[in-house]
């Protein structure tokens, strides 16, 4: 059972800004109502500019959270786009390896890169939710589907199975205090969709946000991303991917179908699609380009034997489940469940 939660800002410092104060207050109150003691790490609320300009301090917060034996769970505040900059401060002198203690690590989006860092050191992590995006939901409570998995994780330390949400929600346009207590617009959800391959397949899941994975091989966002990630061997080798299930989901940037195809083609060159036992695709935000994405991934993979399951409620579209990385999973697209 989780009792002590450390909150870290490993990418963006959004939770330290005045415009997010009302959301943070809601989230902290919810965590306390769950009976959790919150440790806000020293630099987590220093604001966007400070966090952006001080990657060493971001890394220091993560190290301290792992070293603190009272901390049961490390909860990422939110994503962003430059957590790769923590690499030298975590790996040059084996800092992260020395600090590592087995505990829950939860985050998504740019945190994909942190998941890969921890995977490199053998720690199983949890993908799919963050403090600001989920716990701080402006409605009167966390979205019920999201809350179900968050509550299971803090109660048991794991996730037993995932089933589709009955509904999906449109993304908010208003995050101001005026939106407190307002509900999101909801729509009927279609469940897991088998695009090709066997309906049942197994493997340990790994992956995350497609844009973050693409950035490992592309310098369009930052000029040093590729060199730094190559230096530390961040992307797993084809052998490491062997028999795993690849998770892919797209961000709030809502990439065009053309860019989606280009990102998948870049991943294909690594040999990952030839190595994995299956692919899970998260539902895109607001279902934009949903049909195009499904068609494109089948075309790019170009191997009808590889199972691909789409419309999984994970990543940037709400509501969100939580997916354990590194433990054996059984996907059953007909039975509409992923069990661990």
């Amino acid at each position: 059972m989780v009792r002590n939660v450390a909150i870290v800002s490993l990418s963006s410092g959004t939770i330290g800004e005045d415009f997010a104060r009302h959301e943070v207050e809601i989230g902290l109150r919810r965590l306390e109502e769950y009976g959790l003691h919150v440790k806000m790490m020293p630099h987590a609320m220093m604001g966007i500019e400070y966090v952006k300009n001080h990657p060493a301090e971001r890394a220091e917060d993560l190290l301290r959270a792992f070293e603190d034996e009272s901390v049961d769970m490390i909860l990422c505040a939110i994503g962003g786009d430059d957590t790769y900059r923590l690499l030298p401060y975590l790996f040059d002198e084996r800092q992260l390896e020395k600090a590592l203690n087995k505990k829950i690590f939860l985050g998504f989006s740019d945190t994909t890169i942190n998941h890969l860092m921890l995977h490199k050191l053998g720690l199983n992590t949890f993908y799919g939710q963050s403090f600001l995006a989920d716990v701080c939901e402006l409605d009167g409570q966390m979205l019920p589907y999201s809350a179900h998995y968050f509550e299971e994780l803090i109660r048991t330390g794991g996730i037993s199975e995932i089933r589709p949400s009955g509904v999906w929600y449109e993304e908010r346009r208003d995050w101001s205090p005026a939106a407190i207590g307002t509900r999101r617009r909801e729509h009927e959800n279609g469940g897991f969709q088998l695009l090709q391959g066997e309906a049942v397949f197994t493997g340990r899941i790994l992956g995350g946000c497609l844009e973050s994975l693409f950035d490992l091989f592309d310098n369009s966002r930052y000029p040093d991303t590729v060199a730094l990630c190559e230096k530390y061997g961040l992307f797993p080798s084809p052998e490491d991917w062997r028999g795993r299930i690849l998770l892919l989901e797209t961000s709030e940037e809502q990439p065009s179908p053309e860019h989606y195809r280009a990102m998948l083609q870049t991943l294909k060159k690594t040999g990952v699609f030839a190595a994995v036992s299956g692919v899970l695709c998260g539902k895109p935000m607001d279902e934009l380009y949903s049909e195009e994405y499904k068609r494109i991934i089948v075309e790019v993979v170009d191997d009808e034997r590889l199972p691909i399951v789409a419309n999984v409620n994970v990543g940037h579209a709400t509501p969100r489940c939580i997916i354990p990385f590194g433990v054996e999973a059984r996907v059953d697209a007909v039975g509409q469940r992923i069990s661990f």
Side-chain angles (χ1 to χ4, degrees), residues 38-68:
V38 178
K39 292 190 173 186
M40 190 68 68
M41 299 310 290
H43 305 97
M45 295 191 64
M46 297 293 283
I48 291 173
E49 280 305 307
Y50 184 93
V51 169
K52 177 182 179 180
N53 293 321
H54 294 83
E57 282 78 359
R58 287 186 257 167
E60 180 184 338
D61 282 357
L62 181 62
L63 295 172
R64 286 189 182 185
F66 270 114
E67 289 169 344
D68 188 338

Side-chain angles (χ1 to χ4, degrees), residues 148-286:
H148 168 82
Y149 293 101
F150 186 78
E151 291 166 5
E152 180 182 2
L153 183 61
I154 63 174
R155 186 180 69 251
T156 70
I159 300 294
S160 58
E161 72 169 22
I162 293 167
R163 291 186 179 272
S165 172
V167 298
W168 66 271
Y169 303 92
E170 293 181 19
E171 190 50 85
R172 289 185 181 275
R173 300 295 180 260
D174 181 8
W175 300 91
S176 73
I180 295 175
T182 62
R183 301 192 66 180
R184 295 175 182 244
R185 292 186 62 183
E186 65 180 54
H187 303 268
E188 184 177 352
N189 188 43
F192 300 154
Q193 298 169 5
L194 180 66
L195 305 186
Q196 65 173 35
E198 295 290 335
V200 177
F201 54 98
T202 61
R204 291 166 292 163
I205 301 174
L206 186 63
C209 180
L210 177 57
E211 289 94 323
S212 296
L213 295 172
F214 175 67
D215 284 349
L216 298 178
F217 307 98
D218 181 82
N219 283 329
S220 298
R221 201 183 301 270
Y222 294 104
D224 61 343
T225 312
V226 175
L228 208 55
C229 293
E230 284 182 351
K231 176 180 178 181
Y232 296 97
L234 197 58
F235 193 77
S237 67
E239 189 56 39
D240 194 359
W241 281 111
R242 189 78 52 198
R244 294 186 187 275
I245 296 171
L246 174 63
L247 170 66
L248 296 175
E249 56 95 5
T250 48
S251 78
E252 76 283 358
E253 295 175 353
Q254 298 177 298
S256 68
E258 294 76 19
H259 187 45
Y260 184 75
R261 181 184 296 273
M263 291 190 290
L264 290 177
Q265 289 172 333
T266 296
L267 275 191
K268 185 175 183 177
K269 292 176 184 176
T270 70
V272 63
F273 292 125
V276 296
S277 63
V279 180
L280 297 176
C281 300
K283 174 189 281 293
M285 185 182 288
D286 291 337

Side-chain angles (χ1 to χ4, degrees), residues 281-315:
C281 300
K283 174 189 281 293
M285 185 182 288
D286 291 337
E287 287 201 338
L288 183 65
Y289 303 131
S290 178
E291 294 305 312
E292 291 92 334
Y293 287 174
K294 287 184 282 189
R295 173 177 54 80
I296 289 168
I297 193 167
V298 168
E299 291 174 356
V300 172
V301 167
D302 193 25
D303 180 358
E304 64 184 13
R305 298 168 300 175
L306 183 66
I308 302 176
V309 172
N311 205 48
V312 180
N313 300 108
V314 65

